[in-house]
Amino acid sequence: MAARVIPVDPFDLVIFGGTGDLARRKILPGLYRRFHAGQMPDTARIIGAARSEMSSDEYREFVRAAVIEFVSPALCEAEQVAAFLSRLAYVAIDARGDGGWAALKSEVRGDVVQAFYFSVAPGLFGDLAERLHAHGIAGPDARIVVEKPFGRDAASARALNQSLAAHFREEQIYRIDHYLGKETVQNLMAVRFGNVLFEPLWNAQFVDHIQISVAETVGVGGRGEYYDKSGAMRDMVQNHLMQLLCLIAMEPPNRFEPDAVRDEKLKVIRALEPVPADDIVRGQYRSEGDLPGYLDEVGSPESRTESFIALKVQVANWRWNGTPFYLRTGKRMAARLSEIVVVFKEPPHAIFGDEAGSEANKLVIRLQPDEGMTLTVTIKEPGPGGMRLIEVPLDMSFAEALGPENAEMPDAYERLIMDVIRGNQTLFMRGDEVEAAWRWTDPLIEAWEKRGDRPKPYRPGTSGPEDALALLHRDGRRWRDLEA
Ligand code: BG6
């Protein structure tokens, strides 16, 4: 069963920051894969725009190198790459001046879908929006795509929203959170709302608690300057983990449509309780052997920025009253693993007696690696000797279940860019949603900054600081092993 490909309408996609790292690693290779899959109509065009002076031919060579580096060689047949490159052009542009805008205007057609990807520092969003408008380049239905970080607090996010809203309507603005483009994240909605099995149990009566873990093995590396001003809370929790939490916790929308879904997510964010200091653990990875520690990598020995955070979060509504959501994310941990674990309650009455043992059912939703789901069920241990209960997994790896031709899932960026062209905002964050997420995050950050808390050191290759384990232990619970 090969994945179905439905071509999108003809488009012109302008990538501001077209020579930047995100364009090179994700956007351009992703576009190539969509082209290779036959999703791009013959007349689609991609226009790179950036500060450096270069010809379109030079830009094509830059893109060729990016495709060869980041796309699997099996997809890089010479004629296909050449055909893709023939759709590209480049314009040198001055985001804060007038240079290049007339040239850009002559490249962008008025009778196709227009999309402008702002893959630049957020400080330039307002300038780009204003110039696209002032030079009459963006038509009435043009789309703009913006990347995180979308602000660093509620006030800056509001200012960014206002600078975009001065020239574009909300339905033209696509705020990317690439976690929403991950296959399993969308599958989470399919599992919840496409089956009758789970939804009746999806509440505080049957769910004991939920764990959301996004662990990385890499350190902050060359991104130290950005990262040290953000930390795990701003870099990961306010956006990616928050989105996962919303999809798990939200009420069923009446349709799978942008505002219906986003309204429900917004209600979850608004229902989040403030988190007391005792329910937050922040950590910083230490050096070990040849591996530099966080402080060495960011070059700031006094930094109090966290490279790890764990929180116990409560959603104050009928569905989730009393069911905690434990969130954790960090760099340089034991494994690269993103997963959600829904831990159900144990049966109310143990008919097999205490000796038989008991286990709670768990639904594990794996985002990466090996995207899939596992449901643990309790069965009798085989053999004579009475009734002893054991836990066995009902395991589904999407790659195995759907066949090898579907094993390589489209990258989140590919899917999201195609959604922009289709005009579907379901998997993008609305302005009010982003601001609400910051409004919940801001007081937590302010509180630990005011107290002058220092993050707890943790050894690289572990599950973070000991205190993060204690956060669950004291509630009689434990994190699922990262290397399970
Ligand atoms: C980015 C963060 O948004 O997400 C990075 O800025 C992080 O710090 C990355 O490494 C993780 O994304 P993924 O898709 O590799 O899990």
Side-chain angles (χ1 to χ4, degrees):
M1 178 183 54
R4 221 158 23 116
V5 173
I6 303 169
V8 295
D9 288 337
F11 64 84
D12 279 350
L13 169 66
V14 177
I15 309 173
F16 293 106
T19 55
D21 206 43
L22 185 72
R24 196 173 73 83
R25 300 167 70 91
K26 295 285 183 188
I27 304 173
L28 292 159
L31 285 164
Y32 175 75
R33 281 190 287 262
R34 290 297 91 209
F35 166 79
H36 194 277
Q39 200 161 20
M40 244 185 239
D42 288 343
T43 52
R45 298 189 64 234
I46 299 159
I47 300 136
R51 220 170 5 185
S52 347
E53 287 295 337
M54 71 166 93
S55 66
S56 288
D57 277 342
E58 284 165 331
Y59 188 59
R60 288 185 198 110
E61 283 316 304
F62 167 84
V63 178
R64 182 198 303 278
V67 168
I68 304 289
E69 184 173 350
F70 294 106
V71 177
S72 122
L75 300 180
C76 290
E77 305 91 338
E79 3 22 293
Q80 290 281 329
V81 175
F84 176 71
L85 296 180
S86 71
R87 283 127 191 275
L88 289 156
Y90 180 80
V91 178
I93 205 113
D94 177 3
R96 294 215 159 110
D98 285 328
W101 291 94
L104 183 63
K105 184 171 172 142
S106 66
E107 288 287 351
V108 177
R109 294 167 293 175
D111 56 351
V112 295
V113 173
Q114 297 176 334
F116 299 93
Y117 200 128
F118 293 6
S119 178
V120 296
L124 292 177
F125 289 177
D127 296 301
L128 292 178
E130 191 184 317
R131 282 173 178 69
L132 281 173
H133 182 77
H135 291 272
I137 300 173
D141 293 321
R143 288 141 211 187
I144 57 171
V145 186
V146 294
E147 270 294 329
K148 73 175 267 259
F150 200 83
R152 54 176 286 106
D153 53 23
S156 53
R158 196 172 322 117
L160 278 180
N161 275 334
Q162 282 165 353
S163 68
L164 297 177
H167 305 291
F168 294 92
R169 301 182 311 280
E170 180 62 31
E171 58 273 25
Q172 296 179 276
I173 304 171
Y174 290 71
R175 294 176 196 77
I176 285 207
D177 182 313
H178 78 281
Y179 265 59
L180 290 178
K182 290 186 191 275
E183 182 71 20
T184 319
V185 173
Q186 293 163 68
N187 232 320
L188 180 57
M189 287 186 274
V191 166
R192 276 196 66 189
F193 306 128
N195 295 285
V196 291
L197 217 54
F198 299 108
E199 201 48 27
L201 308 179
W202 211 262
N203 54 52
Q205 193 188 344
F206 293 103
V207 177
D208 178 71
H209 73 280
I210 287 165
Q211 304 182 6
I212 303 178
S213 298
V214 178
E216 297 182 275
T217 48
V218 292
V220 294
R223 295 168 74 225
E225 200 189 330
Y226 151 77
Y227 193 91
D228 201 42
K229 293 198 203 90
S230 307
M233 186 68 159
R234 288 192 171 98
D235 186 50
M236 298 293 289
V237 176
Q238 184 271 346
N239 37 75
H240 306 324
L241 278 83
M242 173 74 79
Q243 290 296 323
L244 299 180
L245 188 157
C246 284
L247 297 179
I248 290 276
M250 73 184 189
E251 295 301 314
N254 78 319
R255 298 193 66 80
F256 189 58
E257 279 174 1
D259 280 334
V261 172
R262 298 183 304 175
D263 286 347
E264 295 305 335
K265 288 198 295 168
L266 181 59
K267 285 186 208 160
V268 174
I269 303 174
R270 288 184 174 152
L272 296 178
E273 298 266 26
V275 185
D278 284 351
D279 289 349
I280 304 179
V281 178
R282 295 163 64 241
Q284 241 178 22
Y285 58 84
R286 296 202 305 239
S287 61
E288 192 164 274
D290 292 342
L291 275 180
Y294 178 82
L295 297 175
D296 311 316
E297 283 197 317
V298 300
S300 164
E302 289 302 314
S303 169
R304 294 183 182 187
T305 304
E306 74 285 354
S307 62
F308 171 96
I309 189 164
L311 312 108
K312 177 179 175 183
V313 177
Q314 306 277 359
V315 183
N317 62 21
W318 271 45
R319 187 188 279 264
W320 295 116
N321 180 44
T323 296
F325 287 67
Y326 298 97
L327 275 45
R328 65 173 167 175
T329 182
K331 306 265 182 212
R332 263 273 212 270
M333 294 178 66
R336 177 170 190 259
L337 175 94
S338 299
E339 68 176 22
I340 300 166
V341 188
V342 181
V343 182
F344 292 93
K345 291 192 171 162
E346 293 196 11
H349 171 61
I351 69 163
F352 303 111
D354 288 345
E355 332 58 84
S358 68
E359 290 286 348
N361 300 120
K362 293 183 204 68
L363 178 67
V364 181
I365 302 151
R366 280 188 309 280
L367 275 63
Q368 59 200 24
D370 183 26
E371 306 179 301
M373 286 193 324
T374 302
L375 178 66
T376 63
V377 290
T378 301
I379 60 161
K380 175 187 168 300
E381 188 176 10
M387 197 66 160
R388 281 186 309 276
L389 302 182
I390 53 168
E391 187 185 56
V392 289
L394 286 180
D395 216 348
M396 191 186 68
S397 143
F398 294 149
E400 274 172 32
L402 304 177
E405 64 277 25
N406 288 302
E408 202 165 313
M409 303 282 176
D411 179 75
Y413 277 94
E414 294 173 43
R415 176 190 315 264
L416 292 174
I417 295 170
M418 291 298 108
D419 277 0
V420 173
I421 307 298
R422 285 193 202 97
N424 185 344
Q425 286 185 308
T426 311
L427 299 174
F428 295 82
M429 294 178 297
R430 209 166 55 191
D432 52 358
E433 207 182 324
V434 179
E435 287 184 35
W438 281 121
R439 275 198 299 276
W440 175 76
T441 317
D442 284 353
L444 311 186
I445 299 177
E446 273 158 30
W448 75 58
E449 283 179 350
K450 202 155 140 216
R451 288 192 304 268
D453 290 356
R454 283 186 183 280
K456 306 269 180 336
Y458 61 94
R459 287 186 51 215
T462 65
S463 308
E466 290 288 316
D467 290 21
L469 305 180
L471 187 67
L472 270 73
H473 281 171
R474 66 171 201 213
D475 295 343
R477 302 179 172 121
R478 56 189 296 270
W479 291 105
R480 206 173 108 88
D481 285 345
L482 286 178
E483 288 163 301

